[in-house]
Amino acid sequence: HEQFNGIIPALITPYGADGGISDSVTRQLVRHLISQGAAGFYLSGSTGEGFLQSTEERQQLLEIVLDEVKSEVPVIAHVGAMDTATAVQLTRHAHQAGAAAVSAVTPFYYKHGPEQVMRHYIDIVEAADIPLIAYHIPGLTGSNASVDFYKELSQVDGIIGLKFTSTNVYEMQQIMDSCGEDFLVFNGPDEICLAGLTMGACGAIGSTYNIMMAPFAELYRLFHEGKLAEARTLQYEVNRVIRELLRYDFIAFEREILRLQGFEVGSPRKPIQQLIDAQRADIYEVAKRFSFL
Ligand code: NAY
């Protein structure tokens, strides 16, 4: 699975004037991010607002991105859902459409025991012949699966890795140590991208790569050249932006930055924060202060 590495934006989903997915802006954004070093795309995840989209829209977005990207970089379709049936349906579609992998959050809202969560993942992986990357994001799902759970999960055929979105780097390392070298772990929180890579993550999937692709691609390159001090300088720089971002809903902030960068991606879907003019003006000042935005 050597194709999965590098910095992979969890793509912001561009919406058009009618509120639906914008074919043209999606293509424009994806092209731009590839030119800046994107090593793949992760669609309809947290950043992509997958849970605020219909099943048809999630399929539509995947088809547009695959058509634009061809096989230049791998495209990972997030198929996670509260219910197994939707995840299975999206998985079959992703396989037919030609995605490189699917990924799924641990099922949320209802509290399930580890057997149910395991069954959910097995049902997904058995639905189609496509690799599956599990998605650990306890801050949003409320489900904190254990290191032992992931160890067992890593032994299931077809489950090739985990996107680990928690700043607990020790836990990330414990998962990597228990699951073995072939199990891919992607760093989730962009603010500790370098720490995750240092601990052994194969790459990183995250939201701020939509707005800071170039510096993160450079950070990744420097890390692999062993230039740790320079990589750290870049991590500090991007974290100054992330600090500003965290004053807002991250999706609202990133959409505004993308708009300032010339990508008319539209507003996030409600109930995500809708910016007022004073907030837009504030974000504009942030963008001016950080000239690389
Ligand atoms: C996804 O599925 O969209 C992600 O990859 C989300 C990862 C993000 N985590 C959360 C909790 O939002 O990129 C990070 C995060 O936005 C960033 O590190 C800023 O905190």
Side-chain angles (χ1 to χ4, degrees):
H1 301 295
E2 302 78 23
Q3 59 168 332
F4 299 109
N5 59 51
I7 303 293
I8 301 177
L11 194 70
I12 286 276
T13 304
Y15 299 126
D18 63 356
I21 291 165
S22 167
D23 186 291
S24 60
V25 182
T26 299
R27 291 176 189 275
Q28 183 200 2
L29 179 58
V30 159
R31 270 282 127 240
H32 160 76
L33 292 170
I34 291 180
S35 77
Q36 302 267 299
F41 292 101
Y42 190 89
L43 306 184
S44 296
S46 318
T47 308
E49 302 177 25
F51 303 112
L52 304 181
Q53 293 162 352
S54 69
T55 303
E56 292 69 34
E57 285 178 316
R58 292 171 72 169
Q59 297 175 345
Q60 184 195 353
L61 177 71
L62 174 63
E63 287 169 19
I64 296 168
V65 173
L66 283 170
D67 183 61
E68 187 59 38
V69 167
K70 309 286 184 235
S71 25
E72 268 177 80
V73 294
V75 176
I76 305 167
H78 177 257
V79 299
M82 250 169 80
D83 67 307
T84 304
T86 300
V88 161
Q89 183 187 346
L90 285 167
T91 299
R92 295 205 175 111
H93 170 267
H95 171 59
Q96 280 157 11
V102 293
S103 178
V105 278
T106 45
F108 51 92
Y109 188 73
Y110 293 111
K111 298 294 165 226
H112 307 291
E115 296 78 23
Q116 280 71 51
V117 180
M118 184 64 70
R119 189 67 245 170
H120 178 75
Y121 279 122
I122 291 174
D123 285 340
I124 295 173
V125 85
E126 286 179 347
D129 184 16
I130 183 167
L132 169 64
I133 298 164
Y135 182 3
H136 175 85
I137 181 160
L140 295 185
T141 59
S143 141
N144 206 348
S146 67
V147 173
D148 286 343
F149 175 83
Y150 288 118
K151 180 177 181 183
E152 201 183 322
L153 194 77
S154 70
Q155 284 153 12
V156 176
D157 257 4
I159 302 186
I160 62 164
L162 176 68
K163 166 163 146 53
F164 184 86
T165 303
S166 151
T167 50
N168 188 337
V169 184
Y170 172 58
E171 199 179 18
M172 177 198 269
Q173 182 272 332
Q174 290 294 296
I175 290 171
M176 292 193 277
D177 196 27
S178 322
C179 296
E181 272 179 22
D182 293 340
F183 193 69
L184 306 174
V185 175
F186 296 86
N187 182 78
D190 313 349
E191 47 277 59
I192 57 156
C193 182
L194 182 59
L197 293 174
T198 306
M199 214 49 118
C202 65
I205 300 170
S207 70
T208 68
Y209 312 143
N210 284 279
I211 60 169
M212 300 191 282
M213 191 56 238
F216 273 110
E218 178 72 358
L219 179 154
Y220 184 83
R221 192 182 62 77
L222 289 167
F223 169 73
H224 279 279
E225 288 175 359
K227 296 177 178 161
L228 284 184
E230 286 168 64
R232 190 189 306 126
T233 299
L234 276 177
Q235 183 75 69
Y236 274 51
E237 261 176 52
V238 293
N239 283 7
R240 288 182 196 116
V241 175
I242 292 178
R243 191 187 160 110
E244 300 291 339
L245 168 147
L246 292 174
R247 295 190 289 116
Y248 292 93
D249 181 292
F250 70 102
I251 299 176
F253 181 95
E254 288 178 29
R255 284 183 179 275
E256 184 59 17
I257 295 288
L258 284 174
R259 202 179 64 77
L260 294 170
Q261 290 175 343
F263 304 96
E264 291 295 340
V265 293
S267 301
R269 287 192 170 166
K270 286 183 177 180
I272 296 177
Q273 180 177 35
Q274 309 288 310
L275 299 175
I276 58 169
D277 286 350
Q279 294 169 324
R280 289 187 195 279
D282 173 57
I283 295 173
Y284 177 69
E285 289 306 316
V286 173
K288 269 203 317 201
R289 194 142 36 92
F290 296 98
S291 52
F292 60 93
L293 280 178

